[in-house]
Amino acid sequence: VNGTPAVAGQSVVLGGCDAVLHVVDGASGQASARIELGEAAHVAGSAAVVDGRAYLGHYGNAFVCVDLESGKTVWQLDDPQFAFFSSPAVGAERVVFGGRNKQVHCVDRASGEERWSFMTRRKVDGSPVIAGDKVVVGSGDGRLYLLNLEDGRELWSYEIGRSLFSSPAVVDGRVVIGGED
C-alpha cells in the first residue's frame, strides 16, 4: 500500500499493488468489500471517498470512480500510455487529478466527462488542491501552478527549480509545498 487510506464514516478505503480496492470496517478491522480493479491496476496513490464513491487512479492507465456499495465502476477515464499516481481533489461538481501524461485533468464528478486538461512539461504525480475557484498543483517540471477551476486557464506559475511530486497545502491564501531540493 503506497497511498494514505481514506476514511468515510466507519469505512477505511485503500488500494494497493494487488489491484484491489479494499474496504475495511474501521471499528473491527474486518474486510467489508474487495473490489477488483482489473489486471495491472495497481494503485499508487490515495483514493478520495465522497458520497459512497471512491475516486482513484492506477497503473492500468485509468482514473476511475467506483461505487463502494455495488463495487461497480461508475465511470473511467483512460489514457493510452500513462498511469495515474496523483490522488484527486474532489469538489462539489468536479474531480481534479494529475497524470503521468504531463497533464492536470478536470472531470465532471457525476459523469467523468472531461471538462478540461492543462499541459505541464513533466509528469504530475502530486495531488492538486481545490481552493475556492482555483486549483493549486505542482509538477515534475519544477513549477507550481495556479489554475482556474472553471476552465483550467493558468492564472500564474512559479518556478521552484526542482521537481514537485509532493502535494501543496493551502491556508489563509498561502501555499506551502516541498520540492526535491
Side-chain angles (χ1 to χ4, degrees):
V1 174
N2 294 311
T4 302
V7 177
Q10 282 292 105
S11 296
V12 178
V13 180
L14 58 131
C17 292
D18 57 358
V20 172
L21 189 62
H22 298 273
V23 183
V24 178
D25 181 276
S28 70
Q30 297 298 311
S32 56
R34 178 182 166 86
I35 302 167
E36 301 283 339
L37 297 172
E39 190 175 333
H42 314 294
V43 180
S46 303
V49 178
V50 180
D51 296 333
R53 291 183 171 179
Y55 303 87
L56 65 144
H58 57 66
Y59 273 97
N61 299 350
F63 189 92
V64 298
C65 171
V66 176
D67 182 275
L68 294 175
E69 188 173 325
S70 70
K72 304 275 187 219
T73 299
V74 177
W75 54 257
Q76 179 169 315
L77 178 75
D78 294 306
D79 185 279
Q81 290 183 288
F82 296 99
F84 295 93
F85 285 21
S86 171
S87 300
V90 180
E93 298 176 3
R94 296 167 188 235
V95 180
V96 182
F97 52 94
R100 297 210 123 186
N101 60 1
K102 304 178 187 177
Q103 295 180 53
V104 179
H105 299 271
C106 178
V107 299
D108 181 89
R109 188 171 133 189
S111 69
E113 180 181 335
E114 191 156 37
R115 298 283 187 108
W116 54 260
S117 64
F118 176 81
M119 182 65 83
T120 70
R121 293 181 205 119
R122 298 220 19 227
K123 62 187 173 186
V124 182
D125 282 350
S127 304
V129 172
I130 296 174
D133 62 350
K134 296 172 181 62
V135 175
V136 182
V137 64
S139 171
D141 64 11
R143 299 192 78 75
L144 180 67
Y145 294 93
L146 183 70
L147 309 175
N148 182 300
L149 178 59
E150 180 66 27
D151 59 13
R153 180 175 37 90
E154 181 179 333
L155 301 173
W156 58 255
S157 65
Y158 181 75
E159 176 72 41
I160 300 290
R162 296 296 300 247
S163 296
L164 298 172
F165 298 122
S166 64
S167 304
V170 178
V171 64
D172 293 333
R174 295 176 189 221
V175 179
V176 178
I177 191 167
E180 281 199 324
D181 60 353

